[in-house]
């Protein structure tokens, strides 16, 4: 059994989070976040509260849901990724800062596929590449 498959089984059986979720939300949900297990598409829609200076943080279970990499698409704003240290790894934290007030912010995370060459939309991240567009120091 490949190591990623083994990690996926252990984490799933242990009840560890196996889908993305907003760890910290700087605003209010426009609708409940969704995740399609078959396609791997996670979608978060919310109205940002610009009085909150901290970014929205989204947990991304990289090893479990996106072993071949993922693409991030935004309606507005910008983001940075931070990978967990290898000793506790297998996930990333996406820190999203919204654009101008008055709009619904949408963040979509999906698996890299044939239609998603690296660099499409905001960024593509795969286990063999450095984190784009930012790399933690």
């Amino acid at each position: 059994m490949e190591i990623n498959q083994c990690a996926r089984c252990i984490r799933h059986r242990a009840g560890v989070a196996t889908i993305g979720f907003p760890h910290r939300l700087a605003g209010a949900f426009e609708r409940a976040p969704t995740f399609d297990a078959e396609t791997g598409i996670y979608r978060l829609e919310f109205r940002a509260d610009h009085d909150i200076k901290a970014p929205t943080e989204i947990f991304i279970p990289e090893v479990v849901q996106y072993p071949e990499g993922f693409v991030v698409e935004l309606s507005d704003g910008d983001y940075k990724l931070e990978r967990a240290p290898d000793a506790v790894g297998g996930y990333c934290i996406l820190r999203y800062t919204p654009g101008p007030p008055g709009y619904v912010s949408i963040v979509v995370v999906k698996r890299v596929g044939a239609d998603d060459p690296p660099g499409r939309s905001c960024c593509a991240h795969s286990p063999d590449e450095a984190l784009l567009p930012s790399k933690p120091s």
Side-chain angles (χ1 to χ4, degrees):
M1 178 179 281
E2 183 194 345
I3 189 73
N4 284 346
Q5 291 173 332
C6 184
R8 192 178 0 255
C9 294
I10 291 168
R11 289 188 175 133
H12 180 71
R13 290 183 184 151
V16 174
T18 57
I19 64 171
F21 64 90
H23 177 63
R24 292 188 171 112
L25 186 67
F29 289 113
E30 182 70 13
R31 61 189 47 132
T34 60
F35 177 73
D36 184 319
E38 190 172 311
T39 64
I41 296 174
Y42 171 81
R43 184 178 181 96
L44 173 64
E45 296 182 34
F46 71 103
R47 289 202 180 269
D49 181 341
H50 285 75
D51 291 332
I52 300 173
K53 300 305 178 200
T56 290
E57 294 183 355
I58 302 169
F59 172 87
I60 300 174
E62 184 178 17
V63 170
V64 177
Q65 293 297 337
Y66 308 100
E68 303 301 319
F70 57 89
V71 174
V72 175
E73 297 178 340
L74 306 175
S75 61
D76 62 317
D78 198 12
Y79 74 96
K80 293 181 180 182
L81 291 171
E82 184 176 331
R83 174 182 270 148
D86 289 340
V88 295
Y91 69 92
C92 291
I93 299 294
L94 183 149
R95 289 185 174 85
Y96 168 72
T97 304
Y103 297 94
V104 174
S105 294
I106 302 171
V107 179
V108 175
V109 179
K110 63 183 189 173
R111 293 180 185 131
V112 168
D115 296 337
D116 301 306
R120 180 180 179 270
S121 186
C122 298
C123 111
H125 164 73
S126 73
D128 298 327
E129 296 178 68
L131 291 175
L132 300 174
S134 64
K135 184 176 179 180
S137 53

